Amino acid sequence: MKDGDKTIITEYLELAKKYKDMADSALAELNACKLEIAQMKADITNRFNDGQYLWDSNRIVISAPEIVIGNVNRNGDLLGGGIVTVVGSALNLYGAGEAGNISMKAPAIDQYAVNPGFDGVDDIVEKTSHITSVARRIQVVSQNPQEVEGRGAAFVDFKTGDGVQISSDEGIGLMATKSKSIKKNQFDAAKKRNEDIKKILDKNIADSLQLLTRYEGSITELAKTDEDLSKENDMTKTNILALDELNSKMGVRVSAFCRTMKAYLMQTALLAASNRKIACYKKELEELDKIDDENFKKKALNTHIDIDSEKINIRSIDEDGRVRTNTDAGILIRGNAINVESCDEKYALTPEEAIGHISLRSRNISLSTDDLVDAKYEKTELTSAKMPVVGNVTINSKIIDINAVDTEMKDGTFKETKLTDKSSVNIRAEKVKVKTIDAQGKSVGKFSVNSQKISLKSTDIKDYKPDIELDNQLNVKHPEKMNSEKVAENSSLLLLAETMNIGFKKDKFEAKNLYVSSTDNLLVNSKTTLQLTQGEKGSADVSINMSGKNMEVAASGNTVLEGDGGVAIYGDTTMNGKVTAGDMELDNLKASKSVTAPNITDGMSVPGAPKKNTMNKGAKFPESNE
């Protein structure tokens, strides 16, 4: 037992104390001390033959039709407790053959792709750390079975089809990025947890060290007694009995020392691991504290999730294939930039023959750039907020169709049946522009509106209610019907084109009624010719023709000029045909042929003239359709 002036137990204890003092050192220095302890532990074990030990410098093969390893009896039944530890730089576990199988069962199974170190407590994440699972079918099932007497019964969920299947009775989380606050909270909690563990380990290590020191003193004293008895020349029966008793006490003390030392070393290793983890967490927290919340949002974290497959289905259904329609059911895609593309690997559109398309089909579809600011919640319910409309919606396509048309399928072909009942297209904005302008700024193409009733109005709305409703996704439900109250102040309507037709386009397309109304001014202006006609084209019953500086008024019936303040005709006037008038005042009267009258008194009277014109005074135009 003696090595110089010290027993090997004393050296072992001194080395263990050194290991404790190094618990906060660098990992390389700590591992070097671990190696020394491991070698000394092996020396002590070799001297006292503690347990069975088999060693072969080449290979040990254990072969049998059935092999049971563990704390079991002869029948292979568990005796209770016990730990099986398998250590090696490479571990291979084979379930060979076509029907080979490997089964693991335990209340808790943990897998960590980390370097456990010499004693299995380091948990160091290496650059090569990885877990690989390869199979034709991989199933991951999280069950929440009914419990009986506080325990549930597991069942194997065999599903048809190969591939990777993940199912859960509660939820599935797939995350590649955590928030700064969540990371900070987790690091804080982990740091505090390890600090609490460190306090417990410090106390346990101090108690173990005190116990080890007492054992070491007792063993050293027994060793000295053994040395004294062995030096005596008279090996009497008394000395032999004393030596036997001494060896028995020595075995008990050494065994207790080794057990306590094992616990001490494990606790010291855990302390070193906790110290290293606390240092790592502190560094992570320091790095997080350097970044404020706004910068963290903008910082690229280089995380990603890739899902690659020829066909991808994302469905809100249960295992029976039924679409979930409860309030919380649905699919949410949320992100700063969301791209949905039907493109090839070079980001070009898939070829025409591939019939690439993106389809949205639902009872309700909302496309909104409403923002949500100054939002206030009570628990999870929104109580107040502002919703300004921001951003842009851009649609760029060769053909754009907006239809509300019912269809049906007959003989394998879809056919239109009718316009959808109560359907409408509403466009509401501060400015609405429709342009067919080419890249040189020229107006080209065609803009067409075809409807039974067309209204172009600039009116204020009667009894307008600004209150709106929101759906479950906070999309705005705008009011559908608006009634005009009055013409909007400072409103105007401009129609401008090189050729403009109002009322007809071709001979077979003619309007039945055309009303032009103004409470103040009506101005009709043309640079060269202005024509107003009534009757069939080409043979109008009434026409007013203005060309150059000339105006011609022609009517196949009566022509009446009337004004409450009088009618004035300036310039030379030629009247062909019979002229009938009531009172007439002339500065001069010149007759080229003759003047005839059946009765002349103080003036000239011509009987038979109409008393009143036939034009309806103050005619009202019918109201335009809303």
Side-chain angles (χ1 to χ4, degrees), residues 7-26:
T7 65
I8 192 170
I9 294 295
T10 303
E11 292 182 352
Y12 194 21
L13 180 58
E14 290 177 352
L15 189 57
K17 289 179 180 178
K18 178 184 175 183
Y19 183 45
K20 162 65 173 64
D21 295 337
M22 295 178 63
D24 221 357
S25 302

Side-chain angles (χ1 to χ4, degrees), residues 20 35 39 43 136 138 155 157 238 262 268 404 419 426 462 509 519 525 538 572 576 620:
K20 162 65 173 64
L35 283 172
Q39 183 60 49
D43 292 341
R136 184 170 185 177
I138 297 175
F155 62 94
D157 187 15
T238 302
K262 182 178 180 182
T268 305
L419 286 177
N426 299 315
K462 182 180 180 181
F509 295 138
T519 56
N525 183 35
D572 296 337
N576 296 322
K620 293 185 178 180

